[in-house]
Amino acid sequence: MSASNCLRCLVRPSAVALVPRQILQAGGGSLTFTATAATKGGSSANQGGRNSPANRPMKLRFRKVKKKGVASHTGKPPLPGERKAYRKKIVLSNNNALPVPGLENLRPADLAKQDNIGTIKALPEDVVDALRAMEAFKPTQCWGIFRRPAMLIRQETVDLTKKMKAAEQDRKMIRVVIEGNRITGKSLMLLQAMTHALMNDWVVLHIPEAQELTTAVTEYASVENSPLWTQPTYTLKLLHAFKRANEKVLSRMNTVYSHADLPQIIPINSPLMQLINSAKEADGAWAVFQALWRELNAENAGRPPVLFSLDGLAHIMKVSDYRNPAFELIHSHDLALVKLFTDILSGAQVMPNGGAVLAATTRGNSPRSASMELAIAQREAEKAGPETVVPQRDPYSKKYDDRSEAVMKSVEILRLKGLSKSEARGLLEYWAASGVLKQRVDESLVSEKWTLSGNGVVGEMERASLLTMKA
C-alpha cells in the first residue's frame, strides 16, 4: 500500500479535504502533518462557522407539478347511496319515440287469451306505478327507448296466466320455477304474471333481488327461542313496497284477528292498512309481517288470491354469507323471510285462498347451485315421460345441499326458449312503428333477426336490432 493511501486512512476527513490532491500524490516520499497545521487550515476554511453559505445545509423543496392534459377533480363527491340510485334508475318512457298507432291498453283477461299471442299491449298507468313500487322493472331492460311501457304476449305467457286463473277458480296454489338461458325473458315473465295478478285484484308480494337477502348486505337479528334469523330493515322496506303496490285491494279489507302483541294494538275489524302502517320502526317489522301474512291467509274471510314471487332463485339455494355468534355460516333457509318463501315453494305451507308462488332463476349474476340444477333437470326429465332417464347425483361430488333439493322436489318447471317467428315478427313490427328500427319488416328481415338471435332469443334480438339505440 502506498504512503498516500496510508495517510488518507489515518488523518481526519476535514484534514484530507484541506490538503491539495497534488501534494498527496507527489513523489513516493512521505508527508508529515501536524495537528497545528490541520487546525489552522480548518479554521481558515471554515471561517464563519455553520452559518456560512458554504456550510449551510440544503433544504429539499417539493413542488407540485401540474401535468398537462389531466383534468383536476374539483366536483362534489357523490352522496351516500347516490351511486346505487343512479345504477338502479329506471326510465320507462321516451318522449322522442314515435307513438305507435293502434297500440291498445292491456285488459284483465288479455294475457290469458290464445288469440293475443304475438301482439303488443301497453301497460296501464296504475299498473306501471304498482310494478315500479315493487321494483319489477330491471335496468337492463330497454324500456327507455319507447314512448310508453308495452310488452309482447308469448305462448308461455298465456300458459302461465291460464294456470293462475285455474288456481283462482279452484282455490288452489301453483308452484312454478321459471328457467331458461341468459336473456330469454325470465324476469319479464315474472313481470307479466304480476301484471295479470294486479289487474285481477290479487295481492302481490315480490322480492326483486334474492341476493339482497343472502349476501350479508342488510341487518339481521336472531328470533327469540328459534333457530331463525330476521332481517328487520329489509322487512320494513318490503312492507312499504307491498302497501304502495296493493293499496287498491288492501283498502277494502279488514282484520279478522286481534293483534295485541304489535307495537300498536290492532283490534278485530280494523282496516288492514292500519295494520301495515303500524310498522314504523324496523324492530317491529317482522311481527307486523307475520300478522299481515296471517290475515291474508285467513279462511272463509273472502280474501283474494296471493302471488308470492322471487327473482334470483339460486341465491337462496345455498349457505348465506351471514354468521352466527359462533362465527359459523348461516344457511339461507334459516333466514325467516327466505324460509317462508321456500316452505310455500316446497308445498310445506299452503295458501288456503289460492294463488301462486313463482321463482325465476338468473344466469347473469348467479352462484352455481348444483342441487337446484339437478332438481330442475330431474323435474324436466319426469315431465318428458317414463322413457327419459332421470339424472342422479354425482357420487363423488360434495356440492349438493339436501335442504335445497327438498324444496325443489315437486315444483313445476317452465322453461323459456326463443320466440316463434310469428312472435318475432310482432316484436319487430312494434320496433319499426316506434321508429327505433329503420328497416322494412318482411319475411327476409324476420328470418335474419330470428336466426342471428339464436332461434329467437329475445335479448339477442334486442342486441341485433337495437344495439345502437341503447344508452
Side-chain angles (χ1 to χ4, degrees):
M1 183 180 294
S2 63
S4 61
N5 290 335
C6 293
L7 291 172
R8 190 176 298 174
C9 296
L10 294 173
V11 297
R12 291 185 298 175
S14 59
V16 175
L18 294 174
V19 177
R21 186 179 298 272
Q22 293 82 357
I23 298 176
L24 290 175
Q25 295 178 354
S30 62
L31 274 176
T32 58
F33 292 91
T34 61
T36 309
T39 308
K40 287 182 179 179
S43 61
S44 61
N46 293 331
Q47 191 174 5
R50 297 183 59 184
N51 295 327
S52 64
N55 297 329
R56 188 177 299 163
M58 294 180 62
K59 294 182 179 179
L60 296 178
R61 297 179 181 178
F62 298 96
R63 270 191 319 175
K64 189 176 180 181
V65 181
K66 268 193 171 182
K67 293 184 179 180
K68 295 182 179 179
V70 179
S72 58
H73 300 282
T74 58
K76 186 175 65 172
L79 299 174
E82 189 173 352
R83 286 193 182 98
K84 182 178 181 181
Y86 182 78
R87 187 175 68 249
K88 300 183 71 173
K89 180 182 178 182
I90 304 292
V91 179
L92 297 179
S93 62
N94 187 355
N95 292 332
N96 295 323
L98 298 176
V100 179
L103 182 63
E104 299 179 354
N105 279 344
L106 189 67
R107 291 170 294 185
D110 282 347
L111 290 176
K113 289 183 178 179
Q114 197 76 21
D115 298 338
N116 290 331
I117 295 177
T119 61
I120 304 290
K121 299 291 184 180
L123 294 174
E125 293 185 3
D126 56 339
V127 176
V128 171
D129 294 339
L131 293 173
R132 184 192 282 272
M134 291 185 290
E135 300 182 20
F137 299 105
K138 300 291 182 181
T140 55
Q141 298 165 350
C142 57
W143 303 102
I145 61 178
F146 299 102
R147 188 81 176 188
R148 56 181 302 194
M151 57 187 181
L152 171 71
I153 301 176
R154 50 195 296 186
Q155 181 64 53
E156 292 85 356
T157 308
V158 175
D159 294 341
L160 180 58
T161 50
K162 281 184 176 180
K163 293 176 183 177
M164 293 175 65
K165 287 188 69 175
E168 181 182 8
Q169 294 172 359
D170 300 337
R171 290 288 173 178
K172 293 183 179 179
M173 182 181 68
I174 61 172
R175 299 173 289 120
V176 181
V177 173
I178 302 173
E179 165 67 355
N181 294 328
R182 289 189 72 247
I183 54 179
T184 51
K186 300 182 290 296
S187 297
L188 196 59
M189 185 61 61
L190 272 185
L191 184 143
Q192 291 177 335
M194 294 163 63
T195 301
H196 175 79
L198 290 169
M199 298 189 70
N200 288 274
D201 293 336
W202 285 36
V203 174
V204 181
L205 181 63
H206 180 59
I207 299 176
E209 292 288 347
Q211 63 178 342
E212 295 182 358
L213 291 173
T214 60
T215 52
V217 295
T218 183
E219 296 86 349
Y220 67 112
S222 60
V223 179
E224 188 176 359
N225 300 324
S226 173
L228 299 181
W229 300 78
T230 63
Q231 294 160 297
T233 303
Y234 188 90
T235 306
L236 182 64
K237 174 188 171 184
L238 186 65
L239 282 172
H240 289 170
F242 176 79
K243 181 184 71 172
R244 291 195 302 270
N246 300 275
E247 191 170 0
K248 184 178 73 172
V249 179
L250 296 176
S251 60
R252 303 195 296 260
M253 299 167 61
N254 294 332
T255 60
V256 296
Y257 302 106
S258 176
H259 305 281
D261 55 344
L262 298 181
Q264 177 183 345
I265 298 177
I266 306 297
I268 299 178
N269 205 27
S270 299
L272 200 58
M273 292 292 290
Q274 182 181 351
L275 172 64
I276 302 175
N277 290 331
S278 65
K280 301 185 183 301
E281 300 292 339
D283 293 340
W286 178 244
V288 173
F289 184 86
Q290 287 180 304
L292 174 64
W293 188 254
R294 184 186 177 195
E295 290 286 348
L296 292 176
N297 290 281
E299 298 185 37
N300 302 322
R303 298 301 195 209
V306 179
L307 171 62
F308 197 177
S309 57
L310 177 141
D311 201 352
L313 180 63
H315 288 282
I316 65 171
M317 293 297 171
K318 65 180 187 67
V319 178
S320 73
D321 295 337
Y322 292 100
R323 292 183 181 270
N324 60 15
F327 207 67
E328 299 171 344
L329 290 171
I330 301 172
H331 197 281
S332 297
H333 297 179
D334 289 331
L335 302 173
L337 194 57
V338 174
K339 181 172 175 54
L340 174 63
F341 182 84
T342 54
D343 284 348
I344 301 172
L345 184 63
S346 64
Q349 184 175 340
V350 298
M351 295 186 285
N353 301 308
V357 54
L358 305 179
T361 62
T362 179
R363 299 298 181 195
N365 177 27
S366 172
R368 187 174 182 273
S369 175
S371 297
M372 186 192 75
E373 294 174 1
L374 175 65
I376 290 175
Q378 289 175 340
R379 301 295 85 76
E380 289 182 327
E382 293 169 358
K383 185 179 179 181
E387 299 179 356
T388 307
V389 178
V390 178
Q392 300 297 325
R393 276 188 178 189
D394 181 1
Y396 301 102
S397 178
K398 297 181 180 180
K399 297 181 179 179
Y400 296 102
D401 184 6
D402 295 334
R403 300 177 70 175
S404 300
E405 287 189 23
V407 171
M408 303 282 292
K409 199 168 185 179
S410 59
V411 297
E412 182 181 352
I413 307 299
L414 175 61
R415 179 169 288 276
L416 295 185
K417 298 180 180 180
L419 304 176
S420 65
K421 286 197 173 181
S422 60
E423 295 168 352
R425 184 183 184 94
L427 193 60
L428 292 173
E429 288 177 349
Y430 173 71
W431 290 349
S434 298
V436 296
L437 183 63
K438 305 295 183 182
Q439 294 174 278
R440 185 168 147 240
V441 180
D442 53 13
E443 291 297 329
S444 174
L445 181 67
V446 172
S447 298
E448 174 191 344
K449 300 298 183 184
W450 186 83
T451 305
L452 288 176
S453 61
N455 294 349
V457 176
V458 62
E460 297 293 348
M461 286 187 65
E462 291 179 4
R463 289 179 178 177
S465 306
L466 309 179
L467 185 61
T468 58
M469 300 298 298
K470 286 188 176 182

